[in-house]
């Protein structure tokens, strides 16, 4: 569908930070055997027509069975009557897209002016989508990718190159040595990047860590950063990179700025090209509200 998802995310984050959204805490189920998780995110934006309930899961052994690790659906209801309006059986695709669009939105406001190369940690669906959506924001086509699995990294390169000049890195540190715009998209529970790896002027968007146990950036990375941005300050108190860094006493929580606030205030964005910025995206229900509503309205318009 022809929907400007990046703009939809921007509007959603602004309304969220301006207290126009009602977003209860995330419901969460963690599974051990096989390893997986299910997240329930729900909420509404005041003075709009719908509310949304989303269930999204990640089961990390799924690719072995030829099934995507992301699964789930979105439910859209009338805010006026409570009637169910749409069941979006998207198998997690809308979650993947809204996450990638949020990454692009963050890059629009926080990436350095001159992107030397884009670094991607991870080789899955989200890694691909982040790279795809970043191409709408930056003209840079030079990419370094790292994955835990060499065959997956090779496959990523084969499938994504064409427009892009992709180099496979041996380590996450090698990615950071060559790139000043980095996106991390893995379910890692041990840090992949250390503070000394990160060059001045780098922006990092951390996407993978959305529970209390996941961590892709050493807490020192956030300590070193000049700008630390959360998609949701409330959620960053219990999950994600900011949670880990504050728990480790490396980051003062008062330094964290919420994305929707920073978008509306240039003084809270990058003020020089030497600054290091980190955006921690744990995923907010307002994104699901915006994308499910956009898809449904798009569908209604197509009917007329």
């Amino acid at each position: 569908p022809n929907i400007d998802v990046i703009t939809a995310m921007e509007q959603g984050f602004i309304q969220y930070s301006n207290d126009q959204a009602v977003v209860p805490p995330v419901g969460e189920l963690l599974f051990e055997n096989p390893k997986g998780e299910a997240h329930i995110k729900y909420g509404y934006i005041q003075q709009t027509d719908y509310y949304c309930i989303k269930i999204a899961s990640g089961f990390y052994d799924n690719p072995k069975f030829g099934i995507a690790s992301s699964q789930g659906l979105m439910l859209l209801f009338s805010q006026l009557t409570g009637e169910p309006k749409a069941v979006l059986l998207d198998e997690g695709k809308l979650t993947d897209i809204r996450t990638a669009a949020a990454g692009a939105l963050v890059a629009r406001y926080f990436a350095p002016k001159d992107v030397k190369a884009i670094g991607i940690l991870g080789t899955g669906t989200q890694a691909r989508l982040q790279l795809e959506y970043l191409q709408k924001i930056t003209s840079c086509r030079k990419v370094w990718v790292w994955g835990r699995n060499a065959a997956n990294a090779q496959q990523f390169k084969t499938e994504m190159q064409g427009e892009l000049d992709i180099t496979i890195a041996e380590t996450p540190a090698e990615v950071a040595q060559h790139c000043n715009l980095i996106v991390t998209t893995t379910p890692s529970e041990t840090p992949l990047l250390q503070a000394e790896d990160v060059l001045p002027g780098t922006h990092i968007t951390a996407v993978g860590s959305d529970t209390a146990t996941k961590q892709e950036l050493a807490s020192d990375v956030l300590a070193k950063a000049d700008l630390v941005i959360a998609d949701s300050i409330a959620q960053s108190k219990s999950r994600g990179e900011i949670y880990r860094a504050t728990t480790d006493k490396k980051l003062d929580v008062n330094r964290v700025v919420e994305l929707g606030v920073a978008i509306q205030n240039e003084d809270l964005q990058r003020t020089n090209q030497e600054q290091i910025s980190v955006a921690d995206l744990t995923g907010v229900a307002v994104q699901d509200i915006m994308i499910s509503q956009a898809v449904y309205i798009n569908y209604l318009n197509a009917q007329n």
Side-chain angles (χ1 to χ4, degrees), residues 217-252:
L217 306 178
S219 295
D220 288 348
V221 174
L222 282 79
K224 183 179 178 177
D226 301 281
L227 303 166
V228 180
I229 303 99
D231 54 1
S232 160
I233 284 179
Q235 282 180 200
S236 71
K237 291 183 173 142
S238 64
R239 57 191 60 242
E241 304 297 342
I242 290 168
Y243 166 70
R244 297 300 295 259
T246 49
T247 308
D248 291 343
K249 307 251 186 298
K250 292 291 170 75
L251 176 67
D252 176 357

PDB file of all heavy atoms in Angstrom, residues 217-252:
ATOM      1  N   LEU A 217      24.478  -2.969  23.037  1.00  0.00           N
ATOM      2  CA  LEU A 217      25.499  -1.939  23.254  1.00  0.00           C
ATOM      3  C   LEU A 217      26.000  -2.021  24.682  1.00  0.00           C
ATOM      4  O   LEU A 217      25.203  -2.046  25.620  1.00  0.00           O
ATOM      5  CB  LEU A 217      24.900  -0.549  23.028  1.00  0.00           C
ATOM      6  CG  LEU A 217      24.195  -0.297  21.693  1.00  0.00           C
ATOM      7  CD1 LEU A 217      23.621   1.123  21.659  1.00  0.00           C
ATOM      8  CD2 LEU A 217      25.128  -0.529  20.515  1.00  0.00           C
ATOM      9  N   ALA A 218      27.316  -2.043  24.858  1.00  0.00           N
ATOM     10  CA  ALA A 218      27.873  -1.977  26.211  1.00  0.00           C
ATOM     11  C   ALA A 218      27.373  -0.683  26.856  1.00  0.00           C
ATOM     12  O   ALA A 218      27.207   0.332  26.178  1.00  0.00           O
ATOM     13  CB  ALA A 218      29.397  -1.991  26.160  1.00  0.00           C
ATOM     14  N   SER A 219      27.135  -0.724  28.138  1.00  0.00           N
ATOM     15  CA  SER A 219      26.616   0.457  28.841  1.00  0.00           C
ATOM     16  C   SER A 219      27.530   1.663  28.678  1.00  0.00           C
ATOM     17  O   SER A 219      27.073   2.814  28.652  1.00  0.00           O
ATOM     18  CB  SER A 219      26.418   0.130  30.320  1.00  0.00           C
ATOM     19  OG  SER A 219      25.406  -0.850  30.451  1.00  0.00           O
ATOM     20  N   ASP A 220      28.832   1.417  28.494  1.00  0.00           N
ATOM     21  CA  ASP A 220      29.810   2.485  28.259  1.00  0.00           C
ATOM     22  C   ASP A 220      29.522   3.269  26.979  1.00  0.00           C
ATOM     23  O   ASP A 220      29.881   4.443  26.879  1.00  0.00           O
ATOM     24  CB  ASP A 220      31.228   1.895  28.153  1.00  0.00           C
ATOM     25  CG  ASP A 220      31.744   1.415  29.496  1.00  0.00           C
ATOM     26  OD1 ASP A 220      31.115   1.747  30.513  1.00  0.00           O
ATOM     27  OD2 ASP A 220      32.765   0.696  29.519  1.00  0.00           O
ATOM     28  N   VAL A 221      28.910   2.614  26.005  1.00  0.00           N
ATOM     29  CA  VAL A 221      28.577   3.304  24.746  1.00  0.00           C
ATOM     30  C   VAL A 221      27.593   4.434  25.044  1.00  0.00           C
ATOM     31  O   VAL A 221      27.744   5.556  24.559  1.00  0.00           O
ATOM     32  CB  VAL A 221      27.978   2.330  23.699  1.00  0.00           C
ATOM     33  CG1 VAL A 221      27.495   3.093  22.463  1.00  0.00           C
ATOM     34  CG2 VAL A 221      28.991   1.257  23.311  1.00  0.00           C
ATOM     35  N   LEU A 222      26.590   4.134  25.878  1.00  0.00           N
ATOM     36  CA  LEU A 222      25.603   5.164  26.218  1.00  0.00           C
ATOM     37  C   LEU A 222      26.213   6.234  27.123  1.00  0.00           C
ATOM     38  O   LEU A 222      25.852   7.405  27.022  1.00  0.00           O
ATOM     39  CB  LEU A 222      24.365   4.537  26.862  1.00  0.00           C
ATOM     40  CG  LEU A 222      23.405   3.880  25.865  1.00  0.00           C
ATOM     41  CD1 LEU A 222      23.911   2.503  25.443  1.00  0.00           C
ATOM     42  CD2 LEU A 222      22.003   3.755  26.426  1.00  0.00           C
ATOM     43  N   ALA A 223      27.168   5.822  27.970  1.00  0.00           N
ATOM     44  CA  ALA A 223      27.863   6.778  28.840  1.00  0.00           C
ATOM     45  C   ALA A 223      28.654   7.772  27.990  1.00  0.00           C
ATOM     46  O   ALA A 223      28.710   8.969  28.295  1.00  0.00           O
ATOM     47  CB  ALA A 223      28.796   6.039  29.794  1.00  0.00           C
ATOM     48  N   LYS A 224      29.251   7.262  26.915  1.00  0.00           N
ATOM     49  CA  LYS A 224      30.100   8.075  26.032  1.00  0.00           C
ATOM     50  C   LYS A 224      29.271   8.979  25.119  1.00  0.00           C
ATOM     51  O   LYS A 224      29.745  10.018  24.654  1.00  0.00           O
ATOM     52  CB  LYS A 224      30.957   7.122  25.189  1.00  0.00           C
ATOM     53  CG  LYS A 224      31.973   7.772  24.255  1.00  0.00           C
ATOM     54  CD  LYS A 224      32.761   6.701  23.500  1.00  0.00           C
ATOM     55  CE  LYS A 224      33.757   7.334  22.529  1.00  0.00           C
ATOM     56  NZ  LYS A 224      34.564   6.292  21.841  1.00  0.00           N
ATOM     57  N   ALA A 225      28.037   8.584  24.830  1.00  0.00           N
ATOM     58  CA  ALA A 225      27.200   9.315  23.872  1.00  0.00           C
ATOM     59  C   ALA A 225      26.878  10.722  24.364  1.00  0.00           C
ATOM     60  O   ALA A 225      26.642  10.948  25.551  1.00  0.00           O
ATOM     61  CB  ALA A 225      25.918   8.542  23.616  1.00  0.00           C
ATOM     62  N   ASP A 226      26.872  11.674  23.435  1.00  0.00           N
ATOM     63  CA  ASP A 226      26.483  13.050  23.753  1.00  0.00           C
ATOM     64  C   ASP A 226      24.965  13.183  23.818  1.00  0.00           C
ATOM     65  O   ASP A 226      24.433  14.009  24.552  1.00  0.00           O
ATOM     66  CB  ASP A 226      27.025  14.001  22.680  1.00  0.00           C
ATOM     67  CG  ASP A 226      28.536  13.924  22.576  1.00  0.00           C
ATOM     68  OD1 ASP A 226      29.206  14.539  23.422  1.00  0.00           O
ATOM     69  OD2 ASP A 226      29.041  13.210  21.681  1.00  0.00           O
ATOM     70  N   LEU A 227      24.281  12.377  23.006  1.00  0.00           N
ATOM     71  CA  LEU A 227      22.818  12.415  22.945  1.00  0.00           C
ATOM     72  C   LEU A 227      22.282  10.995  23.112  1.00  0.00           C
ATOM     73  O   LEU A 227      22.716  10.079  22.411  1.00  0.00           O
ATOM     74  CB  LEU A 227      22.356  12.945  21.581  1.00  0.00           C
ATOM     75  CG  LEU A 227      22.848  14.328  21.152  1.00  0.00           C
ATOM     76  CD1 LEU A 227      22.591  14.551  19.667  1.00  0.00           C
ATOM     77  CD2 LEU A 227      22.148  15.412  21.956  1.00  0.00           C
ATOM     78  N   VAL A 228      21.349  10.829  24.036  1.00  0.00           N
ATOM     79  CA  VAL A 228      20.694   9.529  24.220  1.00  0.00           C
ATOM     80  C   VAL A 228      19.189   9.744  24.085  1.00  0.00           C
ATOM     81  O   VAL A 228      18.594  10.542  24.810  1.00  0.00           O
ATOM     82  CB  VAL A 228      21.024   8.896  25.592  1.00  0.00           C
ATOM     83  CG1 VAL A 228      20.326   7.544  25.728  1.00  0.00           C
ATOM     84  CG2 VAL A 228      22.541   8.726  25.749  1.00  0.00           C
ATOM     85  N   ILE A 229      18.599   9.023  23.135  1.00  0.00           N
ATOM     86  CA  ILE A 229      17.188   9.216  22.790  1.00  0.00           C
ATOM     87  C   ILE A 229      16.432   7.919  23.045  1.00  0.00           C
ATOM     88  O   ILE A 229      16.903   6.839  22.664  1.00  0.00           O
ATOM     89  CB  ILE A 229      17.032   9.605  21.300  1.00  0.00           C
ATOM     90  CG1 ILE A 229      17.843  10.855  20.976  1.00  0.00           C
ATOM     91  CG2 ILE A 229      15.569   9.820  20.920  1.00  0.00           C
ATOM     92  CD1 ILE A 229      19.175  10.586  20.336  1.00  0.00           C
ATOM     93  N   ALA A 230      15.256   8.032  23.664  1.00  0.00           N
ATOM     94  CA  ALA A 230      14.387   6.860  23.868  1.00  0.00           C
ATOM     95  C   ALA A 230      13.107   7.066  23.072  1.00  0.00           C
ATOM     96  O   ALA A 230      12.587   8.187  23.035  1.00  0.00           O
ATOM     97  CB  ALA A 230      14.037   6.719  25.339  1.00  0.00           C
ATOM     98  N   ASP A 231      12.590   6.003  22.456  1.00  0.00           N
ATOM     99  CA  ASP A 231      11.270   6.161  21.828  1.00  0.00           C
ATOM    100  C   ASP A 231      10.219   6.339  22.923  1.00  0.00           C
ATOM    101  O   ASP A 231       9.268   7.086  22.763  1.00  0.00           O
ATOM    102  CB  ASP A 231      10.926   5.017  20.865  1.00  0.00           C
ATOM    103  CG  ASP A 231      11.019   3.616  21.455  1.00  0.00           C
ATOM    104  OD1 ASP A 231      11.347   3.464  22.654  1.00  0.00           O
ATOM    105  OD2 ASP A 231      10.767   2.648  20.708  1.00  0.00           O
ATOM    106  N   SER A 232      10.439   5.683  24.073  1.00  0.00           N
ATOM    107  CA  SER A 232       9.548   5.829  25.220  1.00  0.00           C
ATOM    108  C   SER A 232      10.369   5.820  26.502  1.00  0.00           C
ATOM    109  O   SER A 232      10.991   4.805  26.829  1.00  0.00           O
ATOM    110  CB  SER A 232       8.539   4.673  25.258  1.00  0.00           C
ATOM    111  OG  SER A 232       7.995   4.538  26.559  1.00  0.00           O
ATOM    112  N   ILE A 233      10.389   6.937  27.207  1.00  0.00           N
ATOM    113  CA  ILE A 233      11.130   6.988  28.478  1.00  0.00           C
ATOM    114  C   ILE A 233      10.514   6.014  29.480  1.00  0.00           C
ATOM    115  O   ILE A 233      11.221   5.321  30.204  1.00  0.00           O
ATOM    116  CB  ILE A 233      11.198   8.428  29.013  1.00  0.00           C
ATOM    117  CG1 ILE A 233      12.245   9.197  28.190  1.00  0.00           C
ATOM    118  CG2 ILE A 233      11.557   8.450  30.502  1.00  0.00           C
ATOM    119  CD1 ILE A 233      12.421  10.651  28.566  1.00  0.00           C
ATOM    120  N   ALA A 234       9.182   5.912  29.488  1.00  0.00           N
ATOM    121  CA  ALA A 234       8.510   4.985  30.413  1.00  0.00           C
ATOM    122  C   ALA A 234       8.985   3.552  30.197  1.00  0.00           C
ATOM    123  O   ALA A 234       9.323   2.846  31.152  1.00  0.00           O
ATOM    124  CB  ALA A 234       6.995   5.075  30.246  1.00  0.00           C
ATOM    125  N   GLN A 235       9.041   3.120  28.935  1.00  0.00           N
ATOM    126  CA  GLN A 235       9.462   1.743  28.645  1.00  0.00           C
ATOM    127  C   GLN A 235      10.943   1.527  28.909  1.00  0.00           C
ATOM    128  O   GLN A 235      11.369   0.426  29.272  1.00  0.00           O
ATOM    129  CB  GLN A 235       9.132   1.378  27.189  1.00  0.00           C
ATOM    130  CG  GLN A 235       7.677   1.055  26.997  1.00  0.00           C
ATOM    131  CD  GLN A 235       7.288   0.697  25.574  1.00  0.00           C
ATOM    132  OE1 GLN A 235       6.124   0.785  25.240  1.00  0.00           O
ATOM    133  NE2 GLN A 235       8.227   0.275  24.746  1.00  0.00           N
ATOM    134  N   SER A 236      11.743   2.590  28.752  1.00  0.00           N
ATOM    135  CA  SER A 236      13.191   2.443  28.933  1.00  0.00           C
ATOM    136  C   SER A 236      13.555   2.243  30.405  1.00  0.00           C
ATOM    137  O   SER A 236      14.694   1.969  30.734  1.00  0.00           O
ATOM    138  CB  SER A 236      13.938   3.646  28.357  1.00  0.00           C
ATOM    139  OG  SER A 236      13.726   4.784  29.151  1.00  0.00           O
ATOM    140  N   LYS A 237      12.553   2.350  31.291  1.00  0.00           N
ATOM    141  CA  LYS A 237      12.815   2.074  32.711  1.00  0.00           C
ATOM    142  C   LYS A 237      12.805   0.580  33.004  1.00  0.00           C
ATOM    143  O   LYS A 237      13.206   0.154  34.090  1.00  0.00           O
ATOM    144  CB  LYS A 237      11.782   2.803  33.575  1.00  0.00           C
ATOM    145  CG  LYS A 237      12.005   4.299  33.519  1.00  0.00           C
ATOM    146  CD  LYS A 237      11.072   5.085  34.409  1.00  0.00           C
ATOM    147  CE  LYS A 237      11.505   6.550  34.414  1.00  0.00           C
ATOM    148  NZ  LYS A 237      10.385   7.480  34.419  1.00  0.00           N
ATOM    149  N   SER A 238      12.335  -0.233  32.055  1.00  0.00           N
ATOM    150  CA  SER A 238      12.266  -1.674  32.328  1.00  0.00           C
ATOM    151  C   SER A 238      12.826  -2.555  31.212  1.00  0.00           C
ATOM    152  O   SER A 238      12.837  -3.769  31.334  1.00  0.00           O
ATOM    153  CB  SER A 238      10.807  -2.083  32.579  1.00  0.00           C
ATOM    154  OG  SER A 238      10.042  -1.863  31.408  1.00  0.00           O
ATOM    155  N   ARG A 239      13.269  -1.941  30.101  1.00  0.00           N
ATOM    156  CA  ARG A 239      13.742  -2.757  28.977  1.00  0.00           C
ATOM    157  C   ARG A 239      14.649  -1.932  28.073  1.00  0.00           C
ATOM    158  O   ARG A 239      14.601  -0.709  28.088  1.00  0.00           O
ATOM    159  CB  ARG A 239      12.547  -3.289  28.179  1.00  0.00           C
ATOM    160  CG  ARG A 239      11.628  -2.198  27.646  1.00  0.00           C
ATOM    161  CD  ARG A 239      10.309  -2.723  27.084  1.00  0.00           C
ATOM    162  NE  ARG A 239       9.554  -3.428  28.110  1.00  0.00           N
ATOM    163  CZ  ARG A 239       9.238  -4.719  28.039  1.00  0.00           C
ATOM    164  NH1 ARG A 239       9.574  -5.419  26.983  1.00  0.00           N
ATOM    165  NH2 ARG A 239       8.569  -5.291  29.009  1.00  0.00           N
ATOM    166  N   GLY A 240      15.472  -2.617  27.302  1.00  0.00           N
ATOM    167  CA  GLY A 240      16.284  -1.941  26.294  1.00  0.00           C
ATOM    168  C   GLY A 240      17.644  -1.474  26.790  1.00  0.00           C
ATOM    169  O   GLY A 240      18.041  -1.726  27.924  1.00  0.00           O
ATOM    170  N   GLU A 241      18.365  -0.802  25.898  1.00  0.00           N
ATOM    171  CA  GLU A 241      19.744  -0.376  26.171  1.00  0.00           C
ATOM    172  C   GLU A 241      19.816   0.633  27.317  1.00  0.00           C
ATOM    173  O   GLU A 241      20.728   0.591  28.143  1.00  0.00           O
ATOM    174  CB  GLU A 241      20.356   0.265  24.918  1.00  0.00           C
ATOM    175  CG  GLU A 241      20.338  -0.605  23.669  1.00  0.00           C
ATOM    176  CD  GLU A 241      21.155  -1.877  23.780  1.00  0.00           C
ATOM    177  OE1 GLU A 241      22.027  -1.981  24.670  1.00  0.00           O
ATOM    178  OE2 GLU A 241      20.923  -2.785  22.957  1.00  0.00           O
ATOM    179  N   ILE A 242      18.848   1.551  27.347  1.00  0.00           N
ATOM    180  CA  ILE A 242      18.871   2.593  28.386  1.00  0.00           C
ATOM    181  C   ILE A 242      18.665   1.965  29.761  1.00  0.00           C
ATOM    182  O   ILE A 242      19.333   2.320  30.731  1.00  0.00           O
ATOM    183  CB  ILE A 242      17.807   3.677  28.086  1.00  0.00           C
ATOM    184  CG1 ILE A 242      18.246   4.481  26.851  1.00  0.00           C
ATOM    185  CG2 ILE A 242      17.603   4.593  29.296  1.00  0.00           C
ATOM    186  CD1 ILE A 242      17.171   5.379  26.268  1.00  0.00           C
ATOM    187  N   TYR A 243      17.755   1.005  29.821  1.00  0.00           N
ATOM    188  CA  TYR A 243      17.519   0.277  31.072  1.00  0.00           C
ATOM    189  C   TYR A 243      18.809  -0.377  31.564  1.00  0.00           C
ATOM    190  O   TYR A 243      19.178  -0.252  32.738  1.00  0.00           O
ATOM    191  CB  TYR A 243      16.424  -0.778  30.867  1.00  0.00           C
ATOM    192  CG  TYR A 243      16.341  -1.795  31.981  1.00  0.00           C
ATOM    193  CD1 TYR A 243      15.877  -1.438  33.247  1.00  0.00           C
ATOM    194  CD2 TYR A 243      16.742  -3.110  31.774  1.00  0.00           C
ATOM    195  CE1 TYR A 243      15.811  -2.364  34.279  1.00  0.00           C
ATOM    196  CE2 TYR A 243      16.679  -4.050  32.792  1.00  0.00           C
ATOM    197  CZ  TYR A 243      16.223  -3.675  34.048  1.00  0.00           C
ATOM    198  OH  TYR A 243      16.168  -4.601  35.052  1.00  0.00           O
ATOM    199  N   ARG A 244      19.526  -1.044  30.648  1.00  0.00           N
ATOM    200  CA  ARG A 244      20.763  -1.728  31.043  1.00  0.00           C
ATOM    201  C   ARG A 244      21.822  -0.731  31.515  1.00  0.00           C
ATOM    202  O   ARG A 244      22.490  -0.931  32.534  1.00  0.00           O
ATOM    203  CB  ARG A 244      21.314  -2.568  29.869  1.00  0.00           C
ATOM    204  CG  ARG A 244      20.391  -3.698  29.427  1.00  0.00           C
ATOM    205  CD  ARG A 244      20.113  -4.703  30.539  1.00  0.00           C
ATOM    206  NE  ARG A 244      21.303  -5.429  30.943  1.00  0.00           N
ATOM    207  CZ  ARG A 244      21.603  -6.663  30.569  1.00  0.00           C
ATOM    208  NH1 ARG A 244      20.791  -7.338  29.778  1.00  0.00           N
ATOM    209  NH2 ARG A 244      22.696  -7.250  30.991  1.00  0.00           N
ATOM    210  N   ALA A 245      21.951   0.373  30.776  1.00  0.00           N
ATOM    211  CA  ALA A 245      22.983   1.371  31.108  1.00  0.00           C
ATOM    212  C   ALA A 245      22.680   2.095  32.421  1.00  0.00           C
ATOM    213  O   ALA A 245      23.589   2.380  33.205  1.00  0.00           O
ATOM    214  CB  ALA A 245      23.127   2.372  29.970  1.00  0.00           C
ATOM    215  N   THR A 246      21.401   2.356  32.684  1.00  0.00           N
ATOM    216  CA  THR A 246      21.048   3.019  33.951  1.00  0.00           C
ATOM    217  C   THR A 246      21.194   2.039  35.117  1.00  0.00           C
ATOM    218  O   THR A 246      21.651   2.409  36.194  1.00  0.00           O
ATOM    219  CB  THR A 246      19.622   3.611  33.917  1.00  0.00           C
ATOM    220  OG1 THR A 246      18.722   2.628  33.443  1.00  0.00           O
ATOM    221  CG2 THR A 246      19.545   4.826  33.017  1.00  0.00           C
ATOM    222  N   THR A 247      20.835   0.779  34.884  1.00  0.00           N
ATOM    223  CA  THR A 247      21.005  -0.261  35.917  1.00  0.00           C
ATOM    224  C   THR A 247      22.484  -0.428  36.272  1.00  0.00           C
ATOM    225  O   THR A 247      22.840  -0.613  37.431  1.00  0.00           O
ATOM    226  CB  THR A 247      20.437  -1.618  35.429  1.00  0.00           C
ATOM    227  OG1 THR A 247      19.107  -1.418  34.986  1.00  0.00           O
ATOM    228  CG2 THR A 247      20.430  -2.660  36.533  1.00  0.00           C
ATOM    229  N   ASP A 248      23.348  -0.336  35.244  1.00  0.00           N
ATOM    230  CA  ASP A 248      24.800  -0.439  35.454  1.00  0.00           C
ATOM    231  C   ASP A 248      25.407   0.854  36.010  1.00  0.00           C
ATOM    232  O   ASP A 248      26.628   0.952  36.141  1.00  0.00           O
ATOM    233  CB  ASP A 248      25.512  -0.789  34.130  1.00  0.00           C
ATOM    234  CG  ASP A 248      25.210  -2.199  33.668  1.00  0.00           C
ATOM    235  OD1 ASP A 248      24.734  -3.009  34.486  1.00  0.00           O
ATOM    236  OD2 ASP A 248      25.465  -2.500  32.484  1.00  0.00           O
ATOM    237  N   LYS A 249      24.558   1.837  36.287  1.00  0.00           N
ATOM    238  CA  LYS A 249      24.997   3.133  36.824  1.00  0.00           C
ATOM    239  C   LYS A 249      25.981   3.852  35.876  1.00  0.00           C
ATOM    240  O   LYS A 249      26.860   4.590  36.316  1.00  0.00           O
ATOM    241  CB  LYS A 249      25.649   2.968  38.214  1.00  0.00           C
ATOM    242  CG  LYS A 249      24.792   2.213  39.219  1.00  0.00           C
ATOM    243  CD  LYS A 249      24.252   3.144  40.292  1.00  0.00           C
ATOM    244  CE  LYS A 249      23.512   2.422  41.390  1.00  0.00           C
ATOM    245  NZ  LYS A 249      22.307   1.686  40.935  1.00  0.00           N
ATOM    246  N   LYS A 250      25.815   3.617  34.581  1.00  0.00           N
ATOM    247  CA  LYS A 250      26.685   4.274  33.593  1.00  0.00           C
ATOM    248  C   LYS A 250      25.974   5.475  32.953  1.00  0.00           C
ATOM    249  O   LYS A 250      26.610   6.301  32.320  1.00  0.00           O
ATOM    250  CB  LYS A 250      27.075   3.281  32.479  1.00  0.00           C
ATOM    251  CG  LYS A 250      27.988   2.150  32.925  1.00  0.00           C
ATOM    252  CD  LYS A 250      29.377   2.669  33.259  1.00  0.00           C
ATOM    253  CE  LYS A 250      30.255   1.648  33.932  1.00  0.00           C
ATOM    254  NZ  LYS A 250      30.779   0.613  33.062  1.00  0.00           N
ATOM    255  N   LEU A 251      24.661   5.519  33.100  1.00  0.00           N
ATOM    256  CA  LEU A 251      23.885   6.561  32.439  1.00  0.00           C
ATOM    257  C   LEU A 251      22.913   7.188  33.422  1.00  0.00           C
ATOM    258  O   LEU A 251      22.185   6.476  34.111  1.00  0.00           O
ATOM    259  CB  LEU A 251      23.107   5.948  31.255  1.00  0.00           C
ATOM    260  CG  LEU A 251      22.155   6.868  30.488  1.00  0.00           C
ATOM    261  CD1 LEU A 251      22.926   7.941  29.733  1.00  0.00           C
ATOM    262  CD2 LEU A 251      21.288   6.059  29.526  1.00  0.00           C
ATOM    263  N   ASP A 252      22.931   8.517  33.481  1.00  0.00           N
ATOM    264  CA  ASP A 252      21.960   9.245  34.299  1.00  0.00           C
ATOM    265  C   ASP A 252      20.669   9.359  33.490  1.00  0.00           C
ATOM    266  O   ASP A 252      20.668   9.894  32.381  1.00  0.00           O
ATOM    267  CB  ASP A 252      22.520  10.631  34.627  1.00  0.00           C
ATOM    268  CG  ASP A 252      21.522  11.496  35.393  1.00  0.00           C
ATOM    269  OD1 ASP A 252      20.374  11.027  35.619  1.00  0.00           O
ATOM    270  OD2 ASP A 252      21.871  12.631  35.751  1.00  0.00           O
TER     271      ASP A 252
END
